[in-house]
Amino acid sequence: KAGVTQTPRYLIKTRGQQVTLSCSPISGHRSVSWYQQTPGQGLQFLFEYFSETQRNKGNFPGRFSGRQFSNSRSEMNVSTLELGDSALYLCASSLWDNYGYTFGSGTRLTVV
Amino acid sequence: AQSVTQLGSHVSVSEGALVLLRCNYSSSVPPYLFWYVQYPNQGLQLLLKYTSAATLVKGINGFEAEFKKSETSFHLTKPSAHMSDAAEYFCAVIPRTGTASKLTFGTGTRLQVTL
């Protein structure tokens, strides 16, 4: 059974650019969440999608957005990148609420 | 707002010694509780979770955690540490009330295992 797949694994972007990260959840999982991990702020919740609808949103600026497709795959987009956006972005999927989330290996974004 | 506190950002134990990683939550209604482990350059792996069944929860790799409502705690233990246990461990919660389904994480505890 395939796990949560995130692509790409590593990404280097320049300030001001935009980036799109992709997440394929475990087959059958309808809830997909995104987290940002940095040494200074730790693990912070970005947003959660369930059946193509954003159900929860963390405290991040509007430059961070996401969406979920009908096959449950999800993308997150960060526009006008800043140096502080450098982080490990983790995607997680869950079969149903509070079941426990399975995480992908993450996308390491470096903004230069 | 729901929060979780992990005491000790770094814990060092000898191989074969008891591992004890501490986690306390702050809500009047006990939340769903989780422990995750993260190895270098990897995502998070679920070790175990407490939903509402037995208060002693057994997880993978020989880890277990005990939910104690009176102490608002969910400490992670392993009787005998192995070198491969060296990693960062995160305690996380999801509140039982409301519609929030996001995980709120503690700041993590880095476990070092020495010979």
Side-chain angles (χ1 to χ4, degrees):
Chain A
K1 184 176 178 180
V4 178
T5 303
Q6 291 188 248
T7 56
R9 282 298 310 274
Y10 301 92
L11 206 49
I12 300 175
K13 288 288 188 178
T14 305
R15 269 183 304 172
Q17 286 186 314
Q18 75 164 20
V19 67
T20 299
L21 311 182
S22 180
C23 172
S24 294
I26 291 174
S27 178
H29 285 197
R30 294 162 65 190
S31 171
V32 175
S33 299
W34 289 88
Y35 293 81
Q36 181 197 64
Q37 186 177 26
T38 59
Q41 299 299 316
L43 283 153
Q44 294 188 285
F45 171 77
L46 280 156
F47 25 65
E48 186 227 352
Y49 288 87
F50 185 88
S51 294
E52 302 179 67
T53 301
Q54 187 180 86
R55 203 162 56 163
N56 283 295
K57 189 177 190 307
N59 190 24
F60 278 82
R63 300 185 295 108
F64 291 81
S65 62
R67 59 178 176 169
Q68 185 180 32
F69 302 96
S70 58
N71 61 358
S72 292
R73 191 177 70 85
S74 177
E75 290 181 347
M76 68 163 281
N77 184 278
V78 187
S79 62
T80 320
L81 284 166
E82 300 176 359
L83 294 179
D85 297 333
S86 295
L88 180 66
Y89 290 88
L90 293 164
C91 170
S93 73
S94 180
L95 186 59
W96 62 71
D97 286 353
N98 312 320
Y99 180 75
Y101 287 87
T102 300
F103 282 79
S105 296
T107 293
R108 171 81 58 189
L109 172 65
T110 302
V111 182
V112 298
Chain B
Q2 187 72 249
S3 70
V4 58
T5 302
Q6 290 184 241
L7 283 175
S9 58
H10 288 84
V11 170
S12 182
V13 300
S14 301
E15 190 174 35
L18 171 72
V19 175
L20 171 61
L21 305 181
R22 299 176 187 275
C23 172
N24 289 86
Y25 63 89
S26 65
S27 63
S28 55
V29 177
Y32 298 103
L33 292 149
F34 306 83
W35 274 101
Y36 283 89
V37 61
Q38 186 176 34
Y39 299 99
N41 297 316
Q42 295 292 320
L44 301 170
Q45 181 181 15
L46 180 65
L47 282 175
L48 48 80
K49 61 185 178 186
Y50 170 75
T51 51
S52 61
T55 56
L56 183 62
V57 181
K58 294 189 183 299
I60 62 171
N61 301 341
F63 284 94
E64 62 182 36
E66 186 173 10
F67 169 71
K68 291 186 176 179
K69 185 177 178 180
S70 61
E71 299 177 8
T72 63
S73 69
F74 190 57
H75 301 331
L76 182 71
T77 60
K78 182 174 181 178
S80 176
H82 191 272
M83 296 296 289
S84 60
D85 294 327
E88 188 146 25
Y89 292 79
F90 293 93
C91 182
V93 300
I94 294 177
R96 291 181 187 270
T97 57
T99 59
S101 54
K102 65 174 186 176
L103 286 158
T104 298
F105 286 92
T107 51
T109 297
R110 186 168 298 278
L111 176 66
Q112 180 183 20
V113 182
T114 59
L115 288 172

